[in-house]
Amino acid sequence: MAHLEWSDALNLDLPLMDDTHREFVDLLAAVDQARDAELLPRWRTLVEHTEQHFGQEDDWMASTRFASGNCHSMQHKVVLQVMREGTARAEQGDLKVLRVMASELALWFPQHAQSMDASLALHLRRVGFDPVTGVVHAPGALPGALIHGCGGATCSDADAAGASEPAAQRDIAPAVAA
């Protein structure tokens, strides 16, 4: 099973985002280390944190001209849905699915953080966005059109439509089917 620990490679130089990511990594480790009796409560705590974590990033994107259906937000929706399905399966007695999903999340998260979240952090710094107050200090740097891709220069609308949601499903969804 894959295990995730915080490292400098996950640091995106946006303190509030980095703090939230550290919390995610710590909660995932708590799930990974849980005995069966502790597993579902720890998983629920992770899901609740992830809902807030993704909601926060989605709000930041909405405040800085990302389209509501951009690939980053879509990946958040898919991952949360799969995590919730894991909760439902565990509530029916299938705890193994949570262990597999935790392992898959440990593989998925660094990739997500180092690509989509890194692009978002760069974008937020470019527009002078203060994540604590929600103020954009360089409104002239906001894009003229809504961002539909991932927020990076290499992500196009075609990439977003063709790759992001299936990638999220492919990376984590197999755990639900197990």
Side-chain angles (χ1 to χ4, degrees), residues 54 68-69 72-82 84:
F54 289 176
S68 61
H72 191 160
S73 293
M74 292 303 298
Q75 191 168 99
H76 286 170
K77 289 175 186 156
V78 169
V79 169
L80 275 173
Q81 180 59 37
V82 172
R84 289 177 186 128

Side-chain angles (χ1 to χ4, degrees), residues 28-100:
L28 186 59
V31 166
D32 188 49
Q33 297 164 5
R35 295 185 315 252
D36 285 353
E38 304 166 324
L39 185 58
L40 185 54
R42 287 186 183 185
W43 181 261
R44 285 185 179 127
T45 300
L46 176 66
V47 172
E48 181 179 309
H49 176 273
T50 304
E51 289 169 345
Q52 294 169 355
H53 165 186
F54 289 176
Q56 180 178 57
E57 288 181 11
D58 290 344
D59 288 346
W60 295 344
M61 286 185 270
S63 296
T64 58
R65 308 265 313 136
F66 276 74
S68 61
N70 74 77
C71 62
H72 191 160
S73 293
M74 292 303 298
Q75 191 168 99
H76 286 170
K77 289 175 186 156
V78 169
V79 169
L80 275 173
Q81 180 59 37
V82 172
M83 290 177 77
R84 289 177 186 128
E85 290 173 15
T87 301
R89 294 262 306 264
E91 287 170 343
Q92 296 174 357
D94 185 2
L95 295 179
K96 182 181 178 197
V97 72
L98 297 185
R99 297 205 184 278
V100 173

Side-chain angles (χ1 to χ4, degrees), residues 17 57-58 60-62 64-76 112-127 141-143 145-161 164:
M17 183 183 279
E57 288 181 11
D58 290 344
W60 295 344
M61 286 185 270
T64 58
R65 308 265 313 136
F66 276 74
S68 61
N70 74 77
C71 62
H72 191 160
S73 293
M74 292 303 298
Q75 191 168 99
H76 286 170
H112 177 83
Q114 293 168 340
S115 60
M116 292 186 180
D117 287 342
S119 292
L120 175 59
L122 178 62
H123 167 74
L124 295 176
R125 284 193 299 274
R126 258 190 225 137
V127 302
L142 287 168
L146 292 177
I147 299 170
H148 290 278
C150 303
T154 61
C155 184
S156 70
D157 289 346
D159 293 337
S164 67

